[in-house]
Amino acid sequence: MKTPRLDLIGLVVADMAASLAFYRRLGLVLPEGADGAPHVEAVLPGGLRLAWDTEESVRSFDPSFRPTEGSRAELAFRCDTAEEVDAAYAELTEAGYEGHLKPWDAVWGQRYAVVRDPDGYGISLFADAAADTRA
């Protein structure tokens, strides 16, 4: 058997327009007029695809589907600098999205923050910490 390769990450969403608005704020280029579609895809740099399906769409082929409580998936968006992490977190939370973890300097060497998307998925924002130039 040939080894399968990861090609698509799918998110199930309650409100397509609200979800796409959130991801557009993070810079994803999404099809125009897709806000009312039952399924939307975006091709990311490197060819991996990110897809959104409405709960109704998923129920059309899986009638037993029930949304889970809490987030079991997370997407992480790399920023170029620690300042960009802070700015992205501020922009999203000021726009009304739930801030889950305010920006902090993580012990693993990154500036890190987490915001919740409209469906409660944890969206990490991170950047490599600047090297300490103190000698």
Side-chain angles (χ1 to χ4, degrees), residues 5 7 9 12 15 29 36 44 53 57 60 76 89 97 114 125-126 131-134:
R5 64 181 173 81
D7 179 73
I9 297 169
V12 179
D15 181 332
V29 177
L44 306 175
D53 287 287
S57 176
S60 74
Y89 181 89
Y97 298 104
V114 180
L125 306 166
F126 73 97
D132 188 352
T133 56
R134 296 174 290 179

Short mmCIF file of all heavy atoms in Angstrom, two decimals, residues 5 7 9 12 15 29 36 44 53 57 60 76 89 97 114 125-126 131-134:
data_model
loop_
_atom_site.label_atom_id
_atom_site.label_comp_id
_atom_site.label_asym_id
_atom_site.label_seq_id
_atom_site.Cartn_x
_atom_site.Cartn_y
_atom_site.Cartn_z
N ARG A 5 -0.97 10.71 2.24
CA ARG A 5 -0.36 11.98 2.65
C ARG A 5 -1.45 12.94 3.09
O ARG A 5 -2.56 12.95 2.56
CB ARG A 5 0.47 12.58 1.53
CG ARG A 5 -0.30 12.96 0.30
CD ARG A 5 0.62 13.54 -0.78
NE ARG A 5 -0.10 13.76 -2.01
CZ ARG A 5 -0.86 14.82 -2.26
NH1 ARG A 5 -0.99 15.77 -1.39
NH2 ARG A 5 -1.49 14.93 -3.42
N ASP A 7 -3.57 15.99 3.13
CA ASP A 7 -3.92 16.89 2.03
C ASP A 7 -4.88 17.98 2.46
O ASP A 7 -4.91 19.05 1.87
CB ASP A 7 -4.55 16.06 0.91
CG ASP A 7 -4.96 16.90 -0.27
OD1 ASP A 7 -4.07 17.36 -1.01
OD2 ASP A 7 -6.18 17.13 -0.44
N ILE A 9 -7.22 19.76 5.93
CA ILE A 9 -7.68 19.87 7.31
C ILE A 9 -9.08 20.46 7.23
O ILE A 9 -9.27 21.51 6.61
CB ILE A 9 -6.76 20.76 8.15
CG1 ILE A 9 -5.37 20.13 8.22
CG2 ILE A 9 -7.34 20.99 9.54
CD1 ILE A 9 -4.30 21.03 8.79
N VAL A 12 -15.61 21.85 11.00
CA VAL A 12 -17.07 21.89 10.94
C VAL A 12 -17.51 23.15 11.67
O VAL A 12 -17.09 23.40 12.80
CB VAL A 12 -17.68 20.63 11.58
CG1 VAL A 12 -19.20 20.70 11.53
CG2 VAL A 12 -17.18 19.38 10.88
N ASP A 15 -21.67 28.61 11.54
CA ASP A 15 -22.01 29.78 10.73
C ASP A 15 -20.86 30.05 9.77
O ASP A 15 -19.81 30.57 10.17
CB ASP A 15 -22.25 30.98 11.65
CG ASP A 15 -22.65 32.25 10.94
OD1 ASP A 15 -22.27 32.45 9.76
OD2 ASP A 15 -23.33 33.08 11.56
N VAL A 29 -6.88 33.85 1.94
CA VAL A 29 -7.62 34.28 0.75
C VAL A 29 -8.69 33.23 0.51
O VAL A 29 -8.39 32.06 0.24
CB VAL A 29 -6.68 34.41 -0.47
CG1 VAL A 29 -7.47 34.78 -1.70
CG2 VAL A 29 -5.58 35.42 -0.18
N GLY A 36 -22.19 31.87 2.09
CA GLY A 36 -23.40 31.06 2.23
C GLY A 36 -23.24 29.63 1.73
O GLY A 36 -24.20 28.87 1.73
N LEU A 44 -3.44 26.44 0.86
CA LEU A 44 -2.43 27.15 1.63
C LEU A 44 -1.07 27.04 0.94
O LEU A 44 -0.87 26.15 0.11
CB LEU A 44 -2.36 26.56 3.03
CG LEU A 44 -3.69 26.50 3.79
CD1 LEU A 44 -3.51 25.79 5.12
CD2 LEU A 44 -4.26 27.89 3.99
N ASP A 53 -16.91 23.10 6.54
CA ASP A 53 -18.20 22.51 6.20
C ASP A 53 -19.20 22.93 7.26
O ASP A 53 -18.89 22.88 8.46
CB ASP A 53 -18.11 20.98 6.17
CG ASP A 53 -17.36 20.47 4.96
OD1 ASP A 53 -17.95 20.53 3.87
OD2 ASP A 53 -16.22 20.03 5.11
N SER A 57 -24.27 20.52 6.31
CA SER A 57 -23.61 19.78 5.23
C SER A 57 -23.10 18.43 5.73
O SER A 57 -23.28 17.41 5.07
CB SER A 57 -22.46 20.61 4.66
OG SER A 57 -21.75 19.89 3.69
N SER A 60 -25.76 15.92 6.19
CA SER A 60 -26.34 15.38 4.96
C SER A 60 -25.74 14.01 4.60
O SER A 60 -26.39 13.22 3.95
CB SER A 60 -26.15 16.36 3.80
OG SER A 60 -24.81 16.38 3.35
N ALA A 76 -2.41 26.77 14.14
CA ALA A 76 -1.39 27.69 14.61
C ALA A 76 -0.89 28.54 13.44
O ALA A 76 -0.50 28.00 12.41
CB ALA A 76 -0.23 26.93 15.24
N TYR A 89 -3.37 39.50 18.05
CA TYR A 89 -4.24 39.19 19.19
C TYR A 89 -5.13 40.39 19.52
O TYR A 89 -6.34 40.25 19.69
CB TYR A 89 -3.39 38.80 20.41
CG TYR A 89 -4.22 38.45 21.62
CD1 TYR A 89 -4.65 37.14 21.82
CD2 TYR A 89 -4.57 39.41 22.56
CE1 TYR A 89 -5.41 36.80 22.92
CE2 TYR A 89 -5.33 39.08 23.66
CZ TYR A 89 -5.75 37.77 23.84
OH TYR A 89 -6.52 37.44 24.94
N TYR A 97 -13.66 38.80 18.98
CA TYR A 97 -13.37 37.38 19.12
C TYR A 97 -12.81 37.11 20.51
O TYR A 97 -12.14 37.96 21.10
CB TYR A 97 -12.40 36.91 18.03
CG TYR A 97 -12.97 37.09 16.65
CD1 TYR A 97 -12.56 38.13 15.83
CD2 TYR A 97 -13.98 36.24 16.19
CE1 TYR A 97 -13.11 38.31 14.57
CE2 TYR A 97 -14.54 36.42 14.93
CZ TYR A 97 -14.10 37.46 14.13
OH TYR A 97 -14.65 37.64 12.89
N VAL A 114 -3.48 32.69 22.20
CA VAL A 114 -4.55 31.86 21.64
C VAL A 114 -5.85 32.65 21.64
O VAL A 114 -6.23 33.25 22.65
CB VAL A 114 -4.75 30.55 22.44
CG1 VAL A 114 -5.87 29.72 21.83
CG2 VAL A 114 -3.45 29.75 22.48
N LEU A 125 -1.41 31.96 17.82
CA LEU A 125 -0.61 32.96 17.12
C LEU A 125 0.77 32.88 17.75
O LEU A 125 0.88 32.94 18.98
CB LEU A 125 -1.20 34.36 17.32
CG LEU A 125 -2.68 34.52 16.95
CD1 LEU A 125 -3.23 35.82 17.51
CD2 LEU A 125 -2.85 34.45 15.44
N PHE A 126 1.81 32.73 16.95
CA PHE A 126 3.13 32.57 17.55
C PHE A 126 4.23 33.15 16.66
O PHE A 126 4.04 33.31 15.45
CB PHE A 126 3.43 31.10 17.86
CG PHE A 126 3.70 30.28 16.65
CD1 PHE A 126 5.00 30.02 16.24
CD2 PHE A 126 2.65 29.75 15.89
CE1 PHE A 126 5.25 29.24 15.10
CE2 PHE A 126 2.90 28.98 14.76
CZ PHE A 126 4.20 28.73 14.37
N ALA A 131 16.27 36.82 19.91
CA ALA A 131 17.43 36.38 20.68
C ALA A 131 17.79 37.44 21.71
O ALA A 131 17.69 38.64 21.44
CB ALA A 131 18.61 36.15 19.73
N ASP A 132 18.17 37.02 22.87
CA ASP A 132 18.59 37.93 23.93
C ASP A 132 19.97 38.45 23.57
O ASP A 132 20.93 37.68 23.51
CB ASP A 132 18.60 37.20 25.27
CG ASP A 132 18.85 38.14 26.44
OD1 ASP A 132 19.16 39.33 26.21
OD2 ASP A 132 18.71 37.67 27.58
N THR A 133 20.07 39.75 23.32
CA THR A 133 21.35 40.32 22.89
C THR A 133 22.14 40.89 24.05
O THR A 133 23.20 41.46 23.85
CB THR A 133 21.09 41.44 21.85
OG1 THR A 133 20.22 42.41 22.43
CG2 THR A 133 20.49 40.87 20.58
N ARG A 134 21.63 40.74 25.28
CA ARG A 134 22.39 41.21 26.44
C ARG A 134 23.57 40.28 26.66
O ARG A 134 23.44 39.08 26.64
CB ARG A 134 21.51 41.25 27.69
CG ARG A 134 20.38 42.25 27.57
CD ARG A 134 19.46 42.15 28.74
NE ARG A 134 18.74 40.85 28.62
CZ ARG A 134 17.86 40.43 29.48
NH1 ARG A 134 17.56 41.13 30.54
NH2 ARG A 134 17.25 39.26 29.31
#
